[in-house]
Amino acid sequence: MSEDRKYITFALGKGRLAKKTLELLEEIGITCEEMKDKDTRKLIFVNEELKLKFFLAKGPDVPTYVEYGAADIGVVGSDTILEEGRRVYEVLDLGFGKCRMCVCGPASAKELLKHHEMIRVASKYPNIAKDYFYNKKHQTVDIIKLNGSVELGPIVGLADVIVDIVETGSTLKENGLEVLEEICPLSARMIVNQVSMKMEAERIKELISKLRAKCG
Ligand code: PRP
């Protein structure tokens, strides 16, 4: 193992996704002990032996770090990859974090979707919403960007429908909303910087094939 070997840096989307990713990496013998300390305020963690670095970032920032090469590899939901539209290679479906991107609203909004009416759509994912309504449904809509708790949109009268992630469906149910149309399935994906994929081809391909064997 040469001493001047370059570090491979991982950017992980904060939260459940990062936890699952670390568990998966552990299964293939990649650990980062420093990261297990719950009280740490450190932002970047190193495994000197394997020449790996890890950092946690807000989900939507992960593709940005990877596109610019600040991270070689990223793990993030496919919703974020679609929304951000960054130039990265998507190399692996990790098989967890499964959910769906849907158009949701009160049952009464179903009619509005059928007749191509001009409606208001609230979403944390304006690009996905735009692509779906403009390019797939050919329906002109007014898209309103929100940053969370999007289900509030139809409840308080801000929007007719929302475009949002549905996992168990309980948030919708508890708020009197339902899935009106399904846009696409989602899951956690591994992305790779386009230059790193060439420069570190051997190490990255080995990692992908080990992970692929674990996540089926
Ligand atoms: C997500 C999503 C829904 C909810 C869906 O929100 O935006 O609100 O989870 O999950 P369910 O179908 O299992 O109820 P998140 O918890 O990420 O928070 P946010 O509203 O701030 O986006």
Side-chain angles (χ1 to χ4, degrees):
M1 211 175 282
S2 87
E3 281 309 305
D4 53 5
R5 202 162 65 132
K6 183 188 164 296
Y7 285 96
I8 286 185
T9 302
F10 287 76
L12 308 178
K14 268 184 195 167
R16 248 184 316 171
L17 226 55
K19 193 168 171 277
K20 284 267 196 186
T21 307
L22 292 171
E23 284 168 12
L24 184 65
L25 288 171
E26 199 144 357
E27 282 185 46
I28 62 162
I30 294 175
T31 52
C32 191
E33 294 306 317
E34 278 191 326
M35 253 179 141
K36 292 180 181 167
D37 176 4
K38 293 275 173 283
D39 300 322
T40 186
R41 306 288 295 167
K42 271 182 102 164
L43 294 172
I44 188 140
F45 306 92
V46 187
N47 179 327
E48 285 296 350
E49 198 188 328
L50 299 173
K51 288 277 182 224
L52 299 173
K53 285 185 184 172
F54 301 87
F55 65 84
L56 299 176
K58 284 259 186 194
D61 294 337
V62 168
T64 313
Y65 285 111
V66 175
E67 178 180 303
Y68 285 93
D72 302 288
I73 294 175
V75 174
V76 72
S78 49
D79 50 317
T80 305
I81 298 171
L82 290 170
E83 181 63 25
E84 297 299 315
R86 293 282 175 185
R87 280 168 301 180
V88 295
Y89 293 134
E90 189 182 315
V91 296
L92 190 60
D93 183 342
L94 295 169
F96 53 80
K98 281 192 176 156
C99 48
R100 301 177 290 157
M101 185 64 74
C102 298
V103 181
C104 311
S108 59
K110 255 183 219 161
E111 284 302 307
L112 302 173
L113 296 172
K114 274 190 202 146
H115 303 124
H116 287 84
E117 289 185 42
M118 177 71 182
I119 54 170
R120 286 203 275 184
V121 180
S123 187
K124 227 163 107 170
Y125 303 91
N127 293 326
I128 294 176
K130 204 180 291 169
D131 179 61
Y132 181 69
F133 279 100
Y134 289 23
N135 301 332
K136 300 214 173 67
K137 281 183 65 91
H138 307 292
Q139 180 171 5
T140 308
V141 296
D142 184 5
I143 292 166
I144 304 167
K145 159 97 197 235
L146 287 179
N147 294 297
S149 303
V150 179
E151 290 83 356
L152 271 173
I155 298 172
V156 301
L158 174 71
D160 299 290
V161 297
I162 59 173
V163 165
D164 200 17
I165 290 173
V166 180
E167 191 181 354
T168 61
S170 53
T171 310
L172 291 178
K173 207 168 158 204
E174 285 185 32
N175 291 290
L177 306 173
E178 57 185 69
V179 171
L180 303 173
E181 289 175 0
E182 186 169 325
I183 300 178
C184 61
L186 303 167
S187 58
R189 306 289 162 96
M190 190 169 133
I191 55 176
V192 178
N193 171 269
Q194 296 186 341
V195 176
S196 308
M197 196 69 210
K198 292 186 184 72
M199 303 301 286
E200 292 291 338
E202 204 179 317
R203 289 171 78 194
I204 293 176
K205 281 181 182 163
E206 189 191 340
L207 177 73
I208 295 170
S209 66
K210 280 186 183 166
L211 287 173
R212 187 177 286 129
K214 288 285 171 196
C215 50

